[in-house]
Amino acid sequence: MAQTLKNLPQIQSLLTMPAIAALVAQYSHAEIVEALRKIIQDLRSTLLADATVPLPDFDSAEFAAQIAVAVEARRAPSLVPVINATGIIIHTNLARARLAPQALQAITTTAQSPSNLELDLATGKRGSRHSHVEKLICDLTGAEAAVVVNNCAAAVLLSLMATAAGRNVVASRGELIEIGGSFRLPDVIAQSGATLREVGATNKTRVGDYADAIDGDTAVLLKSHTSNFKIIGFTSAPDRRDLAKLARDRDVILMEDLGSGVLIDLAPYGLGDEPVVADILKSGVDLVMFSGDKLLGGPQAGIIAGRRDIVASLKAHPLMRAVRIDKLSLAALEATLRLYRPPFDPITDVPVLAMVAQSADVVERRAYALAHALKELGMQNVSVAQSISYVGAGSLPQQDLMSFAVAVQSPDLTAEALMAQLRKSTPPVIARIEREHVMLDVRTVSDWDVAILTAAFKRILTQ
Ligand SMILES: *Cc1c(COP(=O)(O)O)cnc(C)c1O
C-alpha cells in the first residue's frame, strides 16, 4: 500500500504536465493548485481504503476536465435563484418575498450612487435615515410615529429593551411562540433584560388574568400573533380594546408582535383572519412590530409603529445603531410602501399580494400549460391535480388557498431521486412529494418559469 501512495505525484510535477499547464494558463495557478491538492487528498483516502484502485492518467484530457469542473464549481456563486414550485408563497428557506420592479430599481440606484441617506437636503444638515419611510408608514397605518430596523426579531428585542429592561412583561401562555430559527419569545424577553410574567392558560386568557399580574414593576403587556400555529376548539383571548383600556388605566404599554404586516384587508382574497395593522393601532395598541418581507412584500426589515413617545425612545436607544436597517433594504422598503398608494394598486403591483390574489382559474391554466409541455417531451405520468397553497413564513397557518399542481412520476427514478435531479438543475427547482409523486404547485411559479421548468425536465430525461 505504501508503494501505491508513493505513486501519487507531487503537485509541482503535476503542474509541469502539458494538459495541466494548459489549465493554469486558462484559469490561475492558485485555483489549479487548490483543485489538485483536493483531488490528490481524495485519491490518498481512496487508496488507504482500497490499495487496488487504479490511479488516473494524470497527463490526460479526462483528468484535466475533472480539474476544470472542480475549478468552475469553486467559481460559481453559492447563493443562486431557484424556482419555487412548493406553493408556499413566502417560503423562509427560499428567501421569502420577491420584490417588485420598483423596489429593484430603488436598490440599484441607491447602490450605484451616493444618496441623502442621512442628509437633510432642505437644511444641508445631518438628517435621519428613519425620515425616508416614517411618514409613509404613518400614512398607511395611522400610527403617530414609526421606525424601521433590520428585521422583526430585532424590532421586538429593541422595543422590549427600551421599554421594559429591569421590569416585568406580562404575556399570555397561549402566545409564547417560537418562530423558525429558534426565535422564542420567552428567550427574547429574557435577552431584553425584562422578566416574563406568564398569565392565563394555553387555550384561554382573560383580561382579568392580565389585570391580576400588573403591579408596580410591570412595564409592558405583550401580545403576539400566533402566526405559525392555531389552537382550535375551546379558546378565548381578550379583545384588544379591553386590553388597551386596562393598559391605559394602569399606565403600562400594550405592545403587539404581529409578525406579518398586512396593510390592506385581504378578506376578498380568502385571507380574512390576518389583522390589518391600522385596525390594531385603532383598537388602542400602543406599539406594533411587523416584518417587511412577509405579507407586506418588501425587503427584510422590522417595522415598529405606534405612540410617538415610545418610538422616540427607541430611536435614541443605544441598541438602535446595532439593529438599524441598511440603505439598500431601506430603498427597497420605501419603494414597496409607495406601491400601496396611488397611482399604484398593491394587489397588482406587490408581487406577493398578486400571487395571493391570483384566481384559481389562472393557476389552473398555468398547470395545464406546464403539463402539456411535459407531455410534449414524451413524459407519460403527468397529470394536473388540485393542490393547496399557503402564504407561509409564519403567516396565516390555517388559511389555505386553492391551487393547482402538476403531478409527475418518472418511470426509472423514485420521487426523491427526481427531486434531487430537479435541485441540480440550473436554476434549481424546489417542489414537494405527495404519495410518491413530485408535485409542482404552480401558484408560486411565474408564467415565464414554465419554459425553464420544462427545460429542466428535458435535461433530466436526456441525460
Ligand atoms: C416572523 C415573525 C417574527 C420574526 O420576523 P423576522 O422579520 O423574520 O425577524 C417575529 N414575530 C412573529 C409573530 C413572526 O411571525
Side-chain angles (χ1 to χ4, degrees), residues 61-74:
E62 291 75 37
F63 188 67
Q66 189 189 339
I67 298 170
V69 167
V71 173
E72 290 291 349
R74 280 297 296 256

Side-chain angles (χ1 to χ4, degrees), residues 336-371:
T336 306
L337 291 170
R338 288 195 185 284
L339 299 176
Y340 283 82
R341 308 205 315 172
F344 301 103
D345 175 359
I347 286 296
T348 48
D349 293 312
V350 175
V352 161
L353 297 180
M355 216 167 250
V356 168
Q358 264 178 124
S359 75
D361 286 354
V362 169
V363 181
E364 185 177 16
R365 242 176 283 139
R366 189 177 303 131
Y368 276 105
L370 176 60

Side-chain angles (χ1 to χ4, degrees), residues 96 151-153 177 179 183 225 227 257-259 291 293-294 301 394:
R96 291 194 182 167
N151 59 11
C152 187
I177 50 173
I179 319 291
F183 174 90
H225 189 46
S227 52
D257 171 15
L258 291 174
S291 286
D293 57 351
K294 291 184 180 174

Side-chain angles (χ1 to χ4, degrees), residues 363-387:
V363 181
E364 185 177 16
R365 242 176 283 139
R366 189 177 303 131
Y368 276 105
L370 176 60
H372 179 73
L374 296 184
K375 283 179 188 157
E376 294 273 284
L377 293 178
M379 290 180 65
Q380 303 290 328
N381 248 319
V382 176
S383 58
V384 170
Q386 271 209 12
S387 170

Side-chain angles (χ1 to χ4, degrees), residues 92 96 150-156 175 177-180 183 185 223-228 256-260 274 289-294 299-303 392-395:
T92 295
R96 291 194 182 167
N150 179 50
N151 59 11
C152 187
V156 175
E175 296 180 355
I177 50 173
E178 171 180 313
I179 319 291
F183 174 90
L185 211 49
K223 269 189 73 61
S224 44
H225 189 46
T226 53
S227 52
N228 54 6
E256 184 159 350
D257 171 15
L258 291 174
S260 207
E274 193 72 8
M289 311 89 170
F290 51 97
S291 286
D293 57 351
K294 291 184 180 174
Q300 180 186 308
I303 298 164
S395 310

Side-chain angles (χ1 to χ4, degrees), residues 191-208:
Q191 279 301 313
S192 77
T195 303
L196 170 63
R197 288 285 310 270
E198 295 179 25
V199 296
T202 310
N203 58 333
K204 284 202 170 216
T205 304
R206 301 181 181 82
V207 179

